[in-house]
Amino acid sequence: MTDLTYWTSVESPLGPLLLTARHDATLTSLSVPGQKGGRTVQDGWRNDPGPFRSAAEQLAAYFAGELKEFRLPLRSHGTDFRERVWAALDSVPYGATTTYGEIAARVGASRMAVRAVGGAIGANPLLIVRPCHRVIGADGSLTGYAGGLERKVRLLALEGSLQEPSRASV
């Protein structure tokens, strides 16, 4: 059955991660608990950790600070605009950050389209492996993250692109 969705849960420092994949182990989503727009297990999905072995290993290595680039087959569905924005996210390297305006420029969108870029980034179905956490405000502020700002801070700190903020600044 080729349209069957497989799922598993993987423990992480950010809480349990819900992963979904196609029959061929192509990762289709990665969600965190309480994520805005995140996926939840649906009737008819098959709970099977088998298709996720490589993803689980790579996520463990990433959280251990041993992996800087995921090498996983990914598949997401979005409008042409969202797909262009997501492809731009894929090009932001580990340990670096970029801005919404810079992403807009990369996809050929006008400065007026920064909100649309933010919406596309917020709709990213593949948190962590497609690094939307690396996008910050033009003034360096840590703007929204569908997985929650605390998780964004933890991911950026893990990658060395942000020092853990002091309690006074949180």
Side-chain angles (χ1 to χ4, degrees):
M1 184 182 246
T2 58
D3 60 350
L4 181 64
T5 298
Y6 291 85
W7 71 275
T8 198
S9 182
V10 174
E11 287 303 316
S12 83
L14 304 180
L17 306 176
L18 173 65
L19 284 69
T20 64
R22 299 181 343 172
H23 69 285
D24 61 0
T26 298
L27 198 62
T28 55
S29 74
L30 189 158
S31 301
V32 297
Q35 175 185 331
K36 179 183 171 191
R39 297 190 82 177
T40 55
V41 176
Q42 304 294 309
D43 288 340
W45 287 10
R46 181 175 295 165
N47 184 357
D48 180 356
F52 302 97
R53 280 191 187 90
S54 182
E57 289 168 3
Q58 289 185 44
L59 284 162
Y62 169 80
F63 285 118
E66 300 164 358
L67 180 81
K68 295 185 187 309
E69 187 176 328
F70 291 97
R71 298 200 182 280
L72 296 167
L74 307 175
R75 180 84 177 143
S76 53
H77 296 286
T79 64
D80 287 343
F81 179 76
R82 283 185 175 180
E83 293 286 346
R84 288 196 328 267
V85 169
W86 296 340
L89 289 176
D90 289 339
S91 70
V92 181
Y94 182 97
T97 58
T98 190
T99 66
Y100 293 91
E102 289 167 350
I103 294 288
R106 284 187 199 180
V107 301
S110 72
R111 295 296 274 157
M112 300 299 289
V114 169
R115 278 186 183 232
V117 167
I121 291 169
N124 170 21
L126 290 156
L127 294 192
I128 305 166
V129 296
R130 176 172 287 139
C132 54
H133 58 276
R134 296 178 187 155
V135 182
I136 61 174
D139 62 358
S141 63
L142 299 183
T143 55
Y145 181 62
L149 222 42
E150 181 181 308
R151 287 185 180 110
K152 182 173 189 161
V153 167
R154 291 185 72 182
L155 290 167
L156 291 173
L158 170 73
E159 294 183 5
S161 56
L162 173 79
Q163 306 314 335
E164 288 278 5
S166 67
R167 291 218 178 270
S169 66
V170 175

